[in-house]
Amino acid sequence: MLHIPIERFTLGNGLRVVLSPDHSVPVVTVYVIYDVGARAEQRGRTGFAHLFEHMMFQGSENAPKGTHFRLVESNGGSLNGSTHPDYTDYFEVLPSNKLPVALWLESDRMRALAITEENLANQKEAVKQERRLSFDNQPYATAIVDRWPELAFRNWQNSHSIIGSFEDLEAATADDAAAFFRTYYAPNNAVLSIAGDLDVAEARRLVEAYFGDIPPQPQPPRPDLSEPEATEPRSLVYHDPLAKVPAVVAGYPGPQRRSPGFNALVMLDILLTAGDSSRFYQNLVKGRKSVIQYEANLGWPFSGPVDYRDPGMYAMYFLYNPQFTGEEVAVQAEQEAARIRDEGVPEEELARARTFLRASRIRQLQGSRVRAALLGQYELIDHAPELINTELNEYLAVSVDAIRDAAARYISPEKRILLDIVPSQAEEPSEVAR
């Protein structure tokens, strides 16, 4: 069992705090995660979560624009932020004697972000440019970011694009941004985790000093993310003029987070996809030569098992040999799961999968940034940061029978959602439903 130390407490304003000391290297990570992502957005306000990720680097009351980057980087550190379906997060990695710098910067923008028409206007343009460069001008990206959620989910909260539309961004005002900030960027809607070379008592004192007097706000209501039960397969062909080889996404409604089926599907995914000994690599890439490259995960493409939140999908993504069709590749993948359902898993193969998972997790946890992020996400989503020590054993304890049951229950052609992305000329229609 892992033994990562955890100190957990809550400030009077509702900010949840998780500390994890590790004195192996003189580095510390400060990680702040807010309980708001794209799935909390309202109609006509898509892209706000991502826009706000950009706004958080535009300065605050006592740290003008550029200060955040300058202070962190001039002290030998790194920083970033990211937007997800269910949360937005930010981190700083710094030498451990610079912990107060990161806490001051994060608390100042939580307390008083600089929301001005000028900052909003330039970040609208930054988001648009990011979309053009990273999505609209990249093969497969528009299909995955925009079309896959629309196909996979029926509830608008789940199905709209995580990036949002240009029209909604243009319509946003500084008052809209200020209201979003008050609603979601409050201490009682956030978790602060600190991992690395820290003294627990001193870190707690600093957190109280920097964050303790930030006022809370009314707790925002959680959006209704419920999905109707899947009753039939769905599919769409997307013609992508930027793609050189075809790709296909095959997805299936996933299990409840932390349920026995969730744990079993994590292990099934490792058997199918993890490493050169996996079934997909051996039988689809090397054997049938139908697949060129693949990815798969609970929550793909925006989440993984750590930050998967109900409802979610188990999705598999393949770049495939044009001699096959996307449906044929999806069927081949289902056949690999069906073999596990029908025949079970040899003990040697299961042992390899467990070793792969154990080694991957231990390697991940060697850095303070991953530890801080995991602790923050486990606290936010599960209210249980101690999962960082127990989750691995829960996966390793999954039985062959449970894996077989997961293969039968979740990788079902009757519930398959298929997005086939095929190369095309620009003048061809972009979408064809099937």
Side-chain angles (χ1 to χ4, degrees):
M1 179 180 287
L2 296 169
H3 294 285
I4 293 173
I6 298 170
E7 178 89 10
R8 180 188 187 201
F9 60 96
T10 302
L11 299 185
N13 57 14
L15 178 67
R16 291 178 272 166
V17 184
V18 185
L19 306 178
S20 181
D22 175 9
H23 305 293
S24 56
V25 291
V27 172
V28 68
T29 294
V30 170
Y31 177 84
V32 182
I33 180 170
Y34 292 91
D35 196 357
V36 58
R39 295 207 286 191
E41 294 168 348
Q42 300 175 4
R43 291 182 186 271
R45 292 292 181 266
T46 63
F48 251 62
H50 183 225
L51 175 64
F52 237 83
E53 176 205 326
H54 284 253
M55 289 290 291
M56 286 287 277
F57 292 97
Q58 293 304 295
S60 52
E61 183 176 22
N62 299 295
K65 186 183 299 187
T67 303
H68 206 121
F69 284 95
R70 179 174 56 79
L71 283 181
V72 172
E73 292 174 351
S74 65
N75 281 291
S78 60
L79 70 164
N80 211 339
S82 58
T83 307
H84 302 256
D86 296 303
Y87 64 86
T88 311
D89 59 357
Y90 307 88
F91 72 84
E92 294 83 17
V93 182
L94 281 162
S96 52
N97 65 337
K98 299 299 180 180
L99 174 60
V101 173
L103 294 177
W104 176 71
L105 288 168
E106 287 293 356
S107 64
D108 201 60
R109 63 182 177 181
M110 181 185 288
R111 183 193 316 276
L113 189 67
I115 302 174
T116 66
E117 291 288 358
E118 180 184 3
N119 284 346
L120 181 62
N122 66 42
Q123 288 315 294
K124 285 179 183 180
E125 292 306 312
V127 170
K128 290 178 185 178
Q129 188 66 4
E130 180 184 352
R131 180 179 177 108
R132 293 185 190 105
L133 294 176
S134 301
F135 298 97
D136 294 344
N137 291 322
Q138 297 296 321
Y140 316 110
T142 298
I144 291 169
V145 171
D146 290 341
R147 297 297 171 260
W148 172 247
E150 292 174 351
L151 181 64
F153 296 106
R154 305 289 81 172
N155 183 336
W156 182 88
Q157 296 294 151
N158 304 318
S159 67
H160 73 273
S161 170
I162 192 172
I163 303 297
S165 72
F166 283 4
E167 293 79 11
D168 287 354
L169 285 174
E170 276 302 326
T173 67
D175 287 343
D176 295 330
F180 189 90
F181 178 76
R182 285 193 304 273
T183 301
Y184 295 109
Y185 276 70
N188 51 303
N189 201 50
V191 173
L192 166 66
S193 63
I194 310 172
D197 184 26
L198 62 93
D199 176 86
V200 169
E202 176 64 6
R204 183 163 186 158
R205 185 189 70 79
L206 290 170
V207 170
E208 291 271 8
Y210 284 117
F211 290 87
D213 63 346
I214 300 175
Q217 299 294 331
Q219 198 67 37
R222 291 214 55 81
D224 177 12
L225 303 180
S226 59
E227 285 285 327
E229 184 177 357
T231 58
E232 58 185 7
R234 298 192 294 271
S235 64
L236 181 74
V237 177
Y238 182 88
H239 295 272
D240 189 338
L242 301 176
K244 301 302 182 184
V245 296
V248 66
V249 183
Y252 311 84
Q256 183 180 356
R257 180 176 174 87
R258 302 293 170 202
S259 67
F262 175 91
N263 294 338
L265 193 49
V266 168
M267 292 306 298
L268 174 63
D269 175 66
I270 292 171
L271 290 163
L272 293 174
T273 71
D276 291 351
S277 64
S278 68
R279 299 212 174 191
F280 282 0
Y281 186 80
Q282 289 295 319
N283 300 331
L284 303 186
V285 176
K286 293 183 65 177
R288 296 176 187 255
K289 295 182 171 54
S290 57
V291 170
I292 301 168
Q293 182 180 324
Y294 62 85
E295 299 174 11
N297 226 329
L298 277 164
W300 188 94
F302 306 116
S303 306
V306 170
D307 52 358
Y308 173 103
R309 217 172 199 175
D310 305 326
M313 303 286 295
Y314 176 70
M316 305 179 290
Y317 169 71
F318 303 95
L319 292 180
Y320 65 89
N321 184 335
Q323 295 179 359
F324 297 81
T325 68
E327 185 170 6
E328 286 173 338
V329 171
V331 169
Q332 290 172 8
E334 290 170 350
Q335 288 170 344
E336 295 302 321
R339 284 180 55 216
I340 291 176
R341 176 198 68 201
D342 296 337
E343 302 169 11
V345 183
E347 185 56 41
E348 181 181 357
E349 183 182 7
L350 185 56
R352 283 200 305 270
R354 287 169 173 160
T355 299
F356 183 97
L357 175 60
R358 186 185 295 110
S360 298
R361 176 52 62 92
I362 292 171
R363 188 165 54 248
Q364 280 183 320
L365 292 173
Q366 289 176 348
S368 65
R369 184 167 73 84
V370 171
R371 268 181 277 130
L374 289 175
L375 289 167
Q377 290 161 21
Y378 291 145
E379 172 61 43
L380 185 81
I381 300 173
D382 302 291
H383 300 275
E386 62 272 12
L387 281 165
I388 201 169
N389 288 318
T390 62
E391 180 185 54
L392 177 60
N393 282 349
E394 293 176 8
Y395 293 148
L396 298 177
V398 171
S399 68
V400 171
D401 285 344
I403 295 171
R404 294 176 69 173
D405 181 68
R409 179 173 300 185
Y410 298 110
I411 315 300
S412 167
E414 289 77 22
K415 297 179 181 179
R416 181 202 307 144
I417 301 167
L418 192 76
L419 175 62
D420 203 4
I421 308 167
V422 298
S424 70
Q425 300 301 314
E427 63 268 15
E428 293 186 37
S430 61
E431 298 176 16
V432 179
R434 296 192 303 200

